[in-house]
Amino acid sequence: MTIAQAHAGANPVAVLWRFSRPHTIVGTALSVLGLWAIAAAALALAPPWWDLLATLAAGLTVNVAIVGINQITDVEIDKVNKPYLPIAAGLLSPHGAKAIVIACCVIPLAMALTQGPHETLAVAAALAVGAAYSLPPARLKRFPVAASLCISGVRSLAVNLGVYWHFAGRIDGPVWALCLFVLPFSVAIAVLKDVPDLEGDRRYSIRTFTVRLGPERVFRIGMAALLTAYAGMIVVAPPLLADDANPVVLAVGHAAALAVLLYWARSANPRHHTEFTRFYMRVWALFFVEYLLVPLACLAR
């Protein structure tokens, strides 16, 4: 079968797709595409399409490696929190998962080495942080602040700055704004993702913010981080980026996204696993929107 030692009868493509955590794959793909579009708007000549495809391949394989390491180290926890994941469900053996992760580490590193030190540093940093998040002895996911910094650091800095520098050879204003937006937004993602996982994390002594503070307080912390991100893009970013992006698109687009967030938050119940998981995935949908909205504002300047 395509995936080593996958469960007999399982669709290898479906197993790999589930193993890759699709919402993170979509987020990474849109990040790369959005940054390419911002570079296309800022530069006299858009980065070539084959460079875009190669960067997508590198970004997606890094993504699979990071989420794969987490699943390999969290099998028992996932049997409680996420029993549908391939290893926990018995659809993929740990040996097969390790083979996928190794390939997804080697491929982007080999590609980055052909592109120069900046790309190599960005890929290596993302992989190193992902490994430190899950693997002993560091296993930073045990420490709420460190875990949040890992996720926000990769999403906000390694992806935005590393990918855009690769495309443009510089960092333009809209990308700095994206970094400042994604920083609190990814902190929110980092803390909110643990709310539905309370039972398994508590059972296996993973002292997340949810375990320590309770799901209601963590929900409020996550919402505060999201509101901070949107306030910056509605109030601060439009006048500062007037030369690089359409301020009306930035302000109105983010105000609309914020209104949707507040509407969804009204029905979010931190004590209800299924309902809150739905809300968490909707927060990811707003993350996707960001990498459509900012490039649109840049192209409409």
Side-chain angles (χ1 to χ4, degrees), residues 3-300:
I3 298 178
Q5 296 185 340
H7 189 274
N11 183 326
V13 176
V15 171
L16 180 58
W17 179 243
R18 194 183 302 181
F19 181 70
S20 72
R21 306 307 309 278
H23 62 286
T24 67
I25 285 289
V26 174
T28 298
L30 286 176
S31 299
V32 173
L33 291 168
L35 291 164
W36 182 88
I38 294 171
L43 302 175
L45 184 64
W49 62 268
W50 58 84
D51 197 13
L52 171 61
L53 293 179
T55 306
L56 272 172
L60 295 178
T61 48
V62 168
N63 193 117
V64 173
I66 291 173
V67 299
I69 293 169
N70 186 248
Q71 290 173 71
I72 291 168
T73 58
D74 279 5
V75 177
E76 296 305 316
I77 299 174
D78 286 341
K79 287 179 180 178
V80 179
N81 291 338
K82 303 179 182 74
Y84 52 85
L85 291 177
I87 306 177
L91 300 176
L92 178 63
S93 73
H95 178 76
K98 289 175 184 177
I100 296 170
V101 167
I102 290 171
C104 288
C105 289
V106 171
I107 290 170
L109 280 172
M111 295 176 68
L113 286 169
T114 68
Q115 299 299 308
H118 295 102
E119 289 75 12
T120 303
L121 178 61
V123 169
L127 290 171
V129 171
Y133 176 84
S134 298
L135 291 175
R139 198 158 165 77
L140 296 177
K141 68 176 296 175
R142 297 174 297 165
F143 312 107
V145 173
S148 300
L149 290 175
C150 285
I151 295 172
S152 60
V154 170
R155 287 283 172 191
S156 177
L157 301 178
V159 173
N160 287 330
L161 298 184
V163 170
Y164 192 80
W165 185 278
H166 172 69
F167 285 143
R170 68 192 195 204
I171 305 297
D172 292 311
V175 177
W176 288 117
L178 260 178
C179 287
L180 294 176
F181 175 90
V182 172
L183 185 61
F185 202 103
S186 55
V187 167
I189 286 175
V191 299
L192 293 176
K193 78 177 182 62
D194 294 324
V195 172
D197 294 344
L198 174 61
E199 182 182 350
D201 289 341
R202 179 182 287 160
R203 183 180 302 181
Y204 290 95
S205 301
I206 303 297
R207 301 285 291 169
T208 63
F209 281 124
T210 302
V211 172
R212 295 185 179 197
L213 305 176
E216 289 83 6
R217 290 182 66 185
V218 169
F219 176 48
R220 291 194 290 271
I221 290 171
M223 285 300 299
L226 293 171
L227 292 174
T228 299
Y230 278 110
M233 288 303 248
I234 294 169
V235 178
V236 179
L240 292 180
L241 299 178
D243 293 336
D244 300 307
N246 187 309
V248 175
V249 173
L250 281 177
V252 174
H254 285 93
L258 175 59
V260 171
L261 170 66
L262 295 175
Y263 176 76
W264 284 338
R266 292 175 58 191
S267 59
N269 182 355
R271 291 284 177 181
H272 192 287
H273 182 279
T274 303
E275 287 185 7
F276 199 82
T277 299
R278 184 182 303 116
F279 171 73
Y280 173 70
M281 296 310 299
R282 286 172 169 174
V283 171
W284 267 98
L286 292 174
F287 180 83
F288 303 159
V289 167
E290 189 63 18
Y291 283 92
L292 301 174
L293 183 55
V294 173
L296 176 63
C298 292
L299 293 169

